[in-house]
Amino acid sequence: MRADIVIGMQWGDEGKGKVVDYLASMYSSVVRYNGGPNAGHTVIADGQSFTFHHIPSGALMRKKLFIAPGMLINPEIFREEIESLKKVVPEFSLKIDIRTSLITPAEVELDKKIEELKGAASIGTTLRGIGPAYSSKALRISPRVSDVLSGKFDASIYKKLYNIEFNFTEWMEEAKETLSNYAFDVREELLRSIENGESILFESAQGTLLDPIYGTYPYVTSSNTTASYAFVSSGIPFKYAGKIIGVLKAYTTRVGKGPMPTEMSENLANFIRESGKEYGATTGRPRRIGWLDLPALRYAKEINGVDELFITKLDVLSGLKELKVALSYSINGKEVERFPPPEDLELVQPVYQSLEPIPKLESGDFSHIVKNGWVSAPFQMKKYIDFIEKNLKTRVSYVSLGAEREMTVKVD
Ligand code: IMP
Ligand code: MG
């Protein structure tokens, strides 16, 4: 009777896919609850690599998989994802809530148009139609899974308003073919399984700082990325909330535009980008790189009520000549520890503390740490993790030292 939630504490790409795959063994079901195919969650296990866009990252662990209706589905992308997954996992249990809203070719087109019209002020979206599709849902004009199943959907206003040419009837038929085997009342099933004592893991997409309310608006995504949305989206009462697991990368990345106080010089960024393979899993765009940002993380901790931390990609920091962390910000000469409102965020100067750099380790050294436990990690690594733990006043449970599932070590 537990519904734990994995959320991202930065601007997405914290490694939630790997974390969810790793933790999935402790749960019976994994539920994705926000965003759509803008997400790219990569899992590397048993010599295979898979990037999920809609499907929960518990798929390789053969868990029961659910898509809650606060998500969006693009049926064409979903179909391709299913076909690729079948090659890796021939049989899986996946259920999509019938209330889930769909992304049509019109919204994909609109996303592009809006970005073009914004020009220099564009967001740098993934061009997956996310903003327009959540808008169509708010306007109450776009189809949901149940509409394509029944075939009864009046698209006249939709067509008139967007005036974007595509064969709607054909699109609806194809969507029906793709989705009908997976359409269920997910809310009801999840509630029953919780009542029967089963445990559930909610998987968020994107990160807290991309939340449309609490993120760096307008440079945000269009669905809520925080823990509370798991309940709004799934229809599960929040009294069933378990613990909140905050995922953070050992440094910061951001893809797309918008403020990023700890962004580092391109020389150093380049090194980390290459060693950490920091390119968008959905769009292939190079990610912007920065030092760890504690004011931003404290804010993310507060908003989500994070109970424990899962820190990823610590291995990437090994061998860097310097290691810095932003402890606070300075705004017009005044030091603040809090994450400021968006209008001040462009003005902040990070106040850094330098820590002892982590020595250069080879892949064998990381495997050695995983095998022999956290006690065997170099002291500089332990100090870095202790520093984060103390400053965020939150326990670190796991540290990831490589992309593969087994490269994870429990911190005691
Ligand atoms: P959208 O979600 O495609 O509308 O994009 C809005 C902003 O969120 C852009 O800055 C994107 O780069 C960013 N974004 C959306 N999804 C992800 C993700 O899964 N990881 C990282 N950034 C994302
Ligand atoms: Mg990603």
Side-chain angles (χ1 to χ4, degrees):
M1 203 192 75
R2 238 164 15 113
D4 293 346
I5 309 173
V6 167
I7 55 95
M9 296 179 76
Q10 294 156 321
W11 277 283
D13 305 316
E14 297 91 352
K16 295 179 294 297
K18 164 170 179 163
V19 168
V20 168
D21 169 81
Y22 183 82
L23 298 176
S25 65
M26 299 174 220
Y27 299 85
S28 56
S29 308
V30 183
V31 189
R32 255 285 299 273
Y33 68 87
N34 69 328
N38 48 348
H41 292 174
T42 304
V43 174
I44 303 177
D46 312 324
Q48 283 160 332
S49 167
F50 198 89
T51 299
F52 296 99
H53 297 290
H54 301 91
I55 301 173
S57 304
L60 302 190
M61 292 297 280
R62 314 315 199 246
K63 294 294 161 174
K64 287 195 275 180
L65 309 169
F66 295 95
I67 286 181
M71 264 189 81
L72 292 173
I73 294 177
N74 179 319
E76 290 102 311
I77 299 177
F78 176 76
R79 184 201 290 258
E80 287 170 20
E81 197 178 343
I82 287 281
E83 291 312 319
S84 328
L85 182 62
K86 277 183 183 162
K87 292 185 192 136
V88 184
V89 184
E91 279 186 48
F92 49 85
S93 155
L94 171 64
K95 295 183 177 177
I96 299 173
D97 196 281
I98 44 172
R99 302 164 186 85
T100 314
S101 296
L102 301 176
I103 305 173
T104 78
E107 278 98 2
V108 176
E109 190 66 33
L110 260 177
D111 201 356
K112 203 167 117 216
K113 259 194 194 168
I114 295 169
E115 285 285 271
E116 278 166 14
L117 287 172
K118 282 190 168 173
S122 68
I123 306 295
T125 74
T126 61
L127 299 177
R128 293 293 186 275
I130 302 296
Y134 276 116
S135 308
S136 297
K137 170 185 179 175
L139 289 169
R140 297 152 296 194
I141 60 168
S142 60
R144 308 203 294 178
V145 172
S146 54
D147 296 313
V148 299
L149 294 188
S150 70
K152 288 193 205 120
F153 182 72
D154 181 359
S156 52
I157 292 179
Y158 192 78
K159 286 182 185 162
K160 277 184 214 156
L161 182 69
Y162 291 151
N163 196 24
I164 292 171
E165 282 300 321
F166 72 100
N167 188 330
F168 201 89
T169 315
E170 206 177 284
W171 180 87
M172 290 274 284
E173 278 164 16
E174 279 173 19
K176 181 176 181 177
E177 207 185 296
T178 305
L179 300 170
S180 54
N181 288 340
Y182 301 100
F184 290 87
D185 189 334
V186 164
R187 181 204 70 82
E188 200 164 6
E189 289 214 20
L190 286 178
L191 186 61
R192 296 295 159 257
S193 68
I194 287 187
E195 287 172 345
N196 289 333
E198 290 184 24
S199 57
I200 287 179
L201 185 63
F202 279 109
E203 171 182 13
S204 177
Q206 292 88 43
T208 303
L209 300 171
L210 288 172
D211 184 83
I213 304 175
Y214 293 103
T216 48
Y217 185 89
Y219 301 100
V220 293
T221 189
S222 301
S223 70
N224 298 99
T225 58
T226 52
S228 317
Y229 189 61
F231 300 100
V232 175
S233 169
S234 65
I236 298 301
F238 62 79
K239 68 176 177 183
Y240 292 119
K243 65 181 175 193
I244 315 294
I245 302 149
V247 185
L248 63 118
K249 186 145 61 181
Y251 47 96
T252 311
T253 63
R254 173 161 206 171
V255 58
K257 295 200 203 171
M260 181 179 175
T262 62
E263 190 161 15
M264 55 175 62
S265 73
E266 194 43 36
N267 258 350
L268 195 52
N270 225 336
F271 179 81
I272 294 182
R273 189 177 298 119
E274 295 314 314
S275 56
K277 299 194 179 69
E278 293 294 355
Y279 289 89
T282 298
T283 59
R285 291 181 290 176
R287 294 179 184 143
R288 297 158 63 192
I289 318 278
W291 296 113
L292 200 70
D293 185 336
L294 287 172
L297 289 166
R298 281 185 209 110
Y299 177 72
K301 181 205 156 176
E302 284 185 7
I303 288 174
N304 295 286
V306 171
D307 294 303
E308 59 183 77
L309 304 170
F310 199 130
I311 301 186
T312 61
K313 291 194 146 178
L314 184 59
D315 54 308
V316 176
L317 295 181
S318 109
L320 289 185
K321 297 271 177 309
E322 61 172 339
L323 183 59
K324 293 200 293 187
V325 175
L327 265 184
S328 58
Y329 297 148
S330 159
I331 305 177
N332 298 325
K334 207 173 140 229
E335 196 171 328
V336 289
E337 285 208 344
R338 296 184 62 75
F339 193 72
E343 61 275 18
D344 286 348
L345 205 52
E346 302 276 6
L347 306 174
V348 307
Q349 292 294 329
V351 178
Y352 288 113
Q353 172 156 342
S354 289
L355 300 177
E356 274 181 77
I358 298 167
K360 173 100 192 94
L361 303 179
E362 304 302 331
S363 67
D365 302 320
F366 293 118
S367 305
H368 180 267
I369 301 171
V370 169
K371 198 162 150 252
N372 294 284
W374 185 239
V375 283
S376 67
F379 75 91
Q380 298 92 335
M381 254 189 186
K382 288 193 221 155
K383 268 185 149 171
Y384 191 64
I385 296 302
D386 285 350
F387 187 83
I388 297 171
E389 208 162 44
K390 271 199 199 87
N391 274 282
L392 296 181
K393 298 189 180 73
T394 312
R395 183 166 68 92
V396 175
S397 311
Y398 297 96
V399 168
S400 166
L401 297 173
E404 302 78 18
R405 178 189 292 153
E406 59 273 16
M407 292 306 288
T408 305
V409 52
K410 201 167 179 359
V411 176
D412 13 55

